[in-house]
Amino acid sequence: MYFGKKNAEEPVVEMVDTVVYSCESEACNGWMRKDFASAENTCPMCGSNLVEEVRELPKISNEYNAYR
Ligand SMILES: [Zn+2]
């Protein structure tokens, strides 16, 4: 028998060090994952330069990119 505890367990989110481009502007908190950044290395929100840094972010499933 299956006595479901339906809401009991959330999936565990794995955190990974991820390279991101972060906006260099103090007034702007724009950033994007390097994997999803376009060739242009400027902030999509304000046009400032982006600087590369490492953040700890939830891992994205590879299924997301499976068909590109
Ligand atoms: Zn910006």
Side-chain angles (χ1 to χ4, degrees):
M1 288 296 285
Y2 197 73
F3 297 95
K5 36 179 189 175
K6 282 181 182 168
N7 302 317
E9 291 174 38
E10 306 247 326
V12 176
V13 178
E14 185 181 351
M15 302 298 285
V16 290
D17 286 341
T18 306
V19 179
V20 302
Y21 289 133
S22 177
C23 182
E24 69 174 5
S25 170
E26 295 274 321
C28 173
N29 56 14
W31 63 274
M32 67 182 90
R33 290 170 191 261
K34 185 177 182 180
D35 289 349
F36 298 126
S38 64
E40 292 171 46
N41 204 11
T42 54
C43 177
M45 295 171 69
C46 73
S48 295
N49 288 327
L50 296 172
V51 290
E52 196 172 301
E53 66 178 43
V54 176
R55 295 188 185 192
E56 196 172 312
L57 295 172
K59 188 176 185 178
I60 293 182
S61 167
N62 283 333
E63 291 170 39
Y64 193 84
N65 292 321
Y67 299 107
R68 73 179 174 177

